[in-house]
Every structure is written in C-alpha cells, then in structure tokens.
Amino acid sequence: MDYDVRLGLTPADLQLREISTKRPDDWVDLNPDDCVELRLIQEQFSGSVVQTRLFRGEKTIIIGKANVVGVCKLLRDSAETNYNYLSDITCFDRLDLIDEDDEDEIRFEVIYNLYSMGTFQRLRLKAQVSEDDAAIDTVEGVWPNANWNEREVYDMFGISFNNHSDLRRILMPDDWVGHPLRKDFPLGGEEIEFSHNVRGQ
C-alpha cells in the first residue's frame, strides 16, 4: 500500500505538502527600508556590508571582518534589534565554490546566529575571512558564550580569533595536526576500539 495513503493523506493534503516544501527559485536582497538590521549597519559602518539575502523568511547579512565587533555590539545594544543572545558560531568553508581564476574570492565565512529575546527575531550574520589571513576579532566581549564557540571554529576550521582569552583546541587532542572540517583535510580512518584492541593492553 502507498505510504501516503496509509498516513491518511488525501490528494489535496499531498498538493499542499508539495507547495509548502517546494524550494523557492532563489533568494532576494534585503531592503534597508524593510530590514532594520541592514539599515543600522549601513548607517554606522558604511561599506561593511558585502551582500544580503532573504530566503524563506530568514535574513542573512554578509560583512567584511574588519568591523565585526562593532557591528555585533550595534546589533546587541540597539533598542530596535536587541540581539542579546548568541545562539551559535560556526564556519563555512567555500573551497569548492571558489573560482580559481579569481584571486579575490574569500574562502571562509564565520557565521553568527543571533536571537533577540525581546523582539523574538533571528539574524544570520556572516563575516568573510580569507585563507591567507585566517583570523578575525573575538566577540567574547559582546557575548561571553562566544568563548567555546570560537574555540570550536578554531579547532575544526583553523580560524584564529584575535584577543580571545583562551584560544586552544576544544574537541581534538592538543597534538592533532590540521583542522578536520576544512574541505581539503585528508579523509582517513582509525581502528575502532574494542575490548580486544584497546590501547594500553
């Protein structure tokens, strides 16, 4: 029997489900008239915004790394945005998207997922980091919980965070060579430990 029939889904249900899960053709640029975050950044840090996008209601603003601390403080302290909670920091390695003929292409994006407990809004802020200078200022002073998140990005992607209070590996052993989530990290394997081959026996 068809799985959808067993779930009790009618043809109308299936049509609605297809519409709701259909991927939009493309994202659109944010408009500062409709996006307070973009307007504030453009007013206070002119030239910092590299790109913006709105996709399925999710707002993304991509900036250069030079003013990342100032932009984050602005988004936290402004009454209009009030992004007082840093949900997560991660990183995106764009290695397979880079045009090899374009020397200006940026390899990494450090991603800050922000949430406002006052306005209940979310924002994805991305800061571009080049492979040649894989370092960016820490935002520990803006959101203290950035400490361990930045250590994980350092450990997995090799991005250094300037002025971080305790920048060291957090997941991999201290003597580990390389950064496992970089797309050029060599794939390999380790023998699985069972009772008959545990180290030290």
Side-chain angles (χ1 to χ4, degrees):
M1 181 181 285
D2 183 75
Y3 181 72
D4 291 325
V5 173
R6 285 188 287 120
L7 286 176
L9 297 173
T10 67
D13 293 330
L14 295 176
Q15 186 178 16
L16 285 172
R17 186 169 67 174
E18 183 179 349
I19 292 171
S20 65
T21 58
K22 184 179 179 182
R23 184 180 177 88
D25 292 334
D26 207 352
W27 47 266
V28 297
D29 291 328
L30 291 171
N31 186 331
D33 294 332
D34 303 323
C35 179
V36 62
E37 298 91 347
L38 178 58
R39 174 175 56 79
L40 288 171
I41 295 172
Q42 289 180 336
E43 289 173 354
Q44 299 292 322
F45 298 96
S46 177
S48 291
V49 177
V50 176
Q51 191 178 38
T52 66
R53 63 184 58 166
L54 177 66
F55 183 74
R56 291 187 171 178
E58 295 182 350
K59 295 178 288 187
T60 301
I61 299 176
I62 304 173
I63 63 171
K65 69 177 185 177
N67 295 313
V68 65
V69 175
V71 169
C72 288
K73 283 182 179 178
L74 173 67
L75 294 172
R76 181 198 65 184
D77 297 340
S78 171
E80 295 181 87
T81 53
N82 191 28
Y83 284 108
N84 48 11
Y85 179 59
L86 174 67
S87 298
D88 185 34
I89 300 177
T90 186
C91 184
F92 175 45
D93 184 354
R94 303 180 63 254
L95 182 63
D96 54 355
L97 301 176
I98 292 176
D99 181 357
E100 296 179 359
D101 298 329
D102 188 351
E103 297 179 358
D104 295 328
E105 282 237 43
I106 301 295
R107 176 169 175 180
F108 299 104
E109 291 176 341
V110 177
I111 305 168
Y112 305 84
N113 292 305
L114 311 182
Y115 179 70
S116 170
M117 290 184 281
T119 65
F120 311 111
Q121 296 296 308
R122 294 186 183 274
L123 175 70
R124 182 183 297 110
L125 180 70
K126 295 184 177 185
Q128 295 183 326
V129 176
S130 67
E131 183 176 9
D132 296 335
D133 182 19
I136 189 171
D137 292 338
T138 181
V139 295
E140 250 188 313
V142 185
W143 300 288
N145 67 313
N147 182 300
W148 281 21
N149 290 313
E150 290 177 343
R151 283 178 58 191
E152 183 174 339
V153 172
Y154 166 71
D155 194 356
M156 296 289 103
F157 292 92
I159 306 296
S160 294
F161 291 87
N162 304 324
N163 304 313
H164 191 282
S165 62
D166 186 25
L167 192 62
R168 56 193 169 94
R169 290 192 182 273
I170 192 170
L171 297 174
M172 306 305 294
D174 290 338
D175 60 353
W176 188 271
V177 178
H179 305 281
L181 290 186
R182 285 194 173 197
K183 290 185 177 177
D184 54 0
F185 187 80
L187 296 177
E190 289 188 35
E191 183 180 10
I192 299 173
E193 293 186 358
F194 294 101
S195 57
H196 67 277
N197 67 349
V198 175
R199 284 176 283 184
Q201 289 188 351

